[in-house]
Amino acid sequence: MSEDFFKTLAEQLRKPTGDLGKTVGEKMNESNKLMNLESIECLNIQANQQLLEIGMGNGFFVQDILTQNPSVIYNGCDFSATMVEEAITINKHFITNGQAAFVQANAHQLPYAEAQFDTVFTVNTIYFWDDVAAVLSAIKRVLKPQGQLVLALRPKEVMEHFPFTPHGFTLYTQADCLDLLAQHGFKIVNTILKQEADLVFFEEPVKNAYLIIQAVKQ
């Protein structure tokens, strides 16, 4: 594969666009299934909970949240208009029932009220935050007092072996993430680091793992 291919792939992972973006969104559902489902477990779904997901992609996993309790209200925002359109199509039933809503938005400019959400969560988006401080500030603003943040990612020691990450990805170790959250007013309450089956690039196995950090707004 050429560098142009990996550059295009990186651009699509950052902001899926058009028909290729739809395909990339579906592939992300497959490759990130375990970390998405474990992140949902970490939400500790309660009755009447207000949730915000930043970067929900095509919204495939929303059903795994809203079928747990019909009183939960889910909001999803994504930088990609293509993904918002797909999420609306996939989750039409939940939108009609008033359980879900989707908007296109930047993570550092969340179009929600102050202290609106019990929990904010995001999976595989931190690599693309151009201004981490602004995003964490925006998350704090929309979280209720003692609200929870669930942050999921693949750590640097995994991502640095992927051939597309040199093209626009910022990589983070577990220590990097813990420091960032602490510096911006979050208290760490739990971390989960799990190994997955190796990936194969150019016939070479690459170690794979995901990291989930649970923190609360201080």
Side-chain angles (χ1 to χ4, degrees), residues 3-21:
E3 282 303 305
D4 284 344
F5 171 84
F6 290 123
K7 183 178 180 181
T8 298
L9 177 58
E11 290 170 350
Q12 287 288 344
L13 290 170
R14 180 185 183 93
K15 188 179 183 181
T17 303
D19 290 339
L20 178 57

Side-chain angles (χ1 to χ4, degrees), residues 45 47-48 65-73 94 97-99:
I45 299 296
N48 302 307
I65 298 169
L66 293 182
T67 53
Q68 293 190 42
N69 193 309
S71 69
V72 171
I73 302 297
F94 295 120
N97 288 349
Q99 289 179 270

Side-chain angles (χ1 to χ4, degrees), residues 13-199:
L13 290 170
R14 180 185 183 93
K15 188 179 183 181
T17 303
D19 290 339
L20 178 57
K22 293 176 184 179
T23 300
V24 169
E26 292 170 357
K27 293 296 184 182
M28 286 193 291
N29 293 340
E30 297 172 11
S31 61
N32 298 322
K33 179 179 179 179
L34 293 180
M35 67 189 304
N36 271 285
L37 293 179
E38 180 121 21
S39 296
I40 290 170
E41 284 291 314
C42 292
L43 301 180
N44 300 317
I45 299 296
Q46 305 291 326
N48 302 307
Q49 199 168 14
Q50 295 265 351
L51 303 174
L52 170 63
E53 181 173 10
I54 298 173
M56 76 284 156
N58 65 15
F60 178 80
F61 295 99
V62 173
Q63 61 185 334
D64 294 284
I65 298 169
L66 293 182
T67 53
Q68 293 190 42
N69 193 309
S71 69
V72 171
I73 302 297
Y74 170 99
N75 281 266
C77 69
D78 201 288
F79 185 47
S80 164
T82 298
M83 290 296 94
V84 173
E85 292 166 3
E86 288 290 282
I88 289 171
T89 299
I90 290 172
N91 294 285
K92 192 172 295 184
H93 169 73
F94 295 120
I95 295 170
T96 300
N97 288 349
Q99 289 179 270
F102 301 91
V103 298
Q104 184 182 6
N106 292 320
H108 64 279
Q109 294 177 318
L110 299 174
Y112 304 102
E114 185 174 342
Q116 181 173 343
F117 298 105
D118 299 288
T119 298
V120 174
F121 70 107
T122 186
V123 178
N124 276 342
T125 67
I126 189 173
Y127 327 111
F128 309 121
W129 296 354
D130 294 327
D131 188 337
V132 175
V135 175
L136 292 175
S137 178
I139 291 172
K140 280 189 69 177
R141 182 184 65 80
V142 301
L143 272 175
K144 295 177 181 179
Q146 296 299 306
Q148 178 184 213
L149 170 62
V150 175
L151 175 68
L153 67 151
R154 298 197 188 280
K156 180 178 181 179
E157 57 267 27
V158 170
M159 294 289 282
E160 64 188 359
H161 298 291
F162 292 2
F164 48 81
T165 55
H167 303 286
F169 283 67
T170 301
L171 308 184
Y172 297 89
T173 65
Q174 178 172 325
D176 292 335
C177 292
L178 297 179
D179 288 344
L180 275 173
L181 292 176
Q183 289 169 16
H184 291 90
F186 289 91
K187 179 182 178 181
I188 310 301
V189 295
N190 190 34
T191 59
I192 298 168
L193 180 61
K194 286 198 174 178
Q195 301 296 317
E196 290 191 69
D198 289 356
L199 297 175

